[in-house]
Amino acid sequence: MFKTTEDSRIQISELMKPSYANFGGKIHGGYILSLMDNVAFACASKHSRSYCVTASVNKVNFLNPIEVGELVTMKASVNYVGNSSMVVGIRVESENIRTGETKHCNSSYFIMVAVDEEGNKVSVPGLTLTNKLAAKRFIKSIIRQESDTKRSMDLENLYKNLDLHLEKLKDYKVQIDFK
């Protein structure tokens, strides 16, 4: 079975209340991450027709602050599928409801895994790519996955060449005092 990205695409909007603000008066990033996790769950569950869990979140950059009183809209779609995993791309935008001005606040990729009632992984439907944008997103997910795997291997090998890396630290603001 295959589904298109449009089959699982969802969008939610929520007005930002003062209770969501941090000490600086902006909407707390943790609150936004919680909303993003909920949207990723809904999108992945809609695609897989299964309960889904968050396996990881790939890099979140907060590009613009969100103000109290703004309308936040989150758009999510399944960009990639594996056997039981899915990459859900999420775009967060905020809108000043008085002026209509919108801004891109962040984008992120949530890796979700479909599971059964016992927590065992289950297979998910494949993805039908219906346009070049969907194909680009699928390919970018593969490249990101390959890059993450290489990075993990590089970090695992760090101890094998630790002395080489320690030499590089002379260019940084760090003091080495092994005892």
Side-chain angles (χ1 to χ4, degrees), residues 55-69:
S56 69
V57 179
N58 188 304
K59 194 174 185 177
V60 179
N61 289 328
F62 292 96
L63 306 172
N64 290 296
I66 300 171
E67 307 289 337
V68 170

Side-chain angles (χ1 to χ4, degrees), residues 40-109:
F41 169 82
C43 183
S45 295
K46 185 176 180 183
H47 180 82
S48 66
R49 295 291 177 215
S50 297
Y51 183 80
C52 294
V53 295
T54 305
S56 69
V57 179
N58 188 304
K59 194 174 185 177
V60 179
N61 289 328
F62 292 96
L63 306 172
N64 290 296
I66 300 171
E67 307 289 337
V68 170
E70 289 185 330
L71 183 67
V72 167
T73 300
M74 297 189 181
K75 301 172 185 177
S77 64
V78 172
N79 292 351
Y80 169 89
V81 296
N83 184 39
S84 61
S85 65
M86 296 155 280
V87 174
V88 176
I90 303 172
R91 180 180 173 94
V92 180
E93 297 174 343
S94 68
E95 178 182 356
N96 181 312
I97 57 175
R98 291 188 180 134
T99 67
E101 178 189 350
T102 61
K103 58 189 173 185
H104 178 204
C105 299
N106 71 41
S107 292
S108 188
Y109 304 95

Side-chain angles (χ1 to χ4, degrees), residues 13-176:
S13 296
E14 184 173 336
L15 189 63
M16 295 294 104
K17 301 175 186 175
S19 61
Y20 305 154
N22 61 23
F23 292 114
K26 309 296 183 196
I27 300 304
H28 195 286
Y31 181 73
I32 297 301
L33 283 171
S34 175
L35 289 177
M36 292 172 75
D37 191 49
N38 290 338
V39 169
F41 169 82
C43 183
S45 295
K46 185 176 180 183
H47 180 82
S48 66
R49 295 291 177 215
S50 297
Y51 183 80
C52 294
V53 295
T54 305
S56 69
V57 179
N58 188 304
K59 194 174 185 177
V60 179
N61 289 328
F62 292 96
L63 306 172
N64 290 296
I66 300 171
E67 307 289 337
V68 170
E70 289 185 330
L71 183 67
V72 167
T73 300
M74 297 189 181
K75 301 172 185 177
S77 64
V78 172
N79 292 351
Y80 169 89
V81 296
N83 184 39
S84 61
S85 65
M86 296 155 280
V87 174
V88 176
I90 303 172
R91 180 180 173 94
V92 180
E93 297 174 343
S94 68
E95 178 182 356
N96 181 312
I97 57 175
R98 291 188 180 134
T99 67
E101 178 189 350
T102 61
K103 58 189 173 185
H104 178 204
C105 299
N106 71 41
S107 292
S108 188
Y109 304 95
F110 280 61
I111 293 79
M112 308 298 290
V113 176
V115 295
D116 62 17
E117 295 80 20
E118 289 82 39
N120 300 309
K121 295 177 182 179
V122 296
S123 185
V124 300
L127 198 59
T128 300
L129 306 176
T130 58
N131 56 53
K132 286 187 177 182
L133 178 60
K136 176 184 151 192
R137 289 176 174 164
F138 194 94
I139 292 166
K140 282 176 71 174
S141 292
I142 292 170
I143 292 168
R144 225 178 353 275
Q145 184 177 12
E146 290 170 349
S147 176
D148 289 348
T149 300
K150 181 187 178 319
R151 182 174 178 263
S152 292
M153 288 173 47
D154 288 347
L155 291 173
E156 291 276 328
N157 291 325
L158 174 65
Y159 287 111
K160 293 178 185 172
N161 300 309
L162 187 58
D163 290 333
L164 269 169
H165 292 286
L166 288 173
E167 183 63 31
K168 294 177 187 177
L169 294 180
K170 67 181 179 200
D171 299 330
Y172 293 88
K173 190 175 182 177
V174 64
Q175 181 179 21
I176 298 173

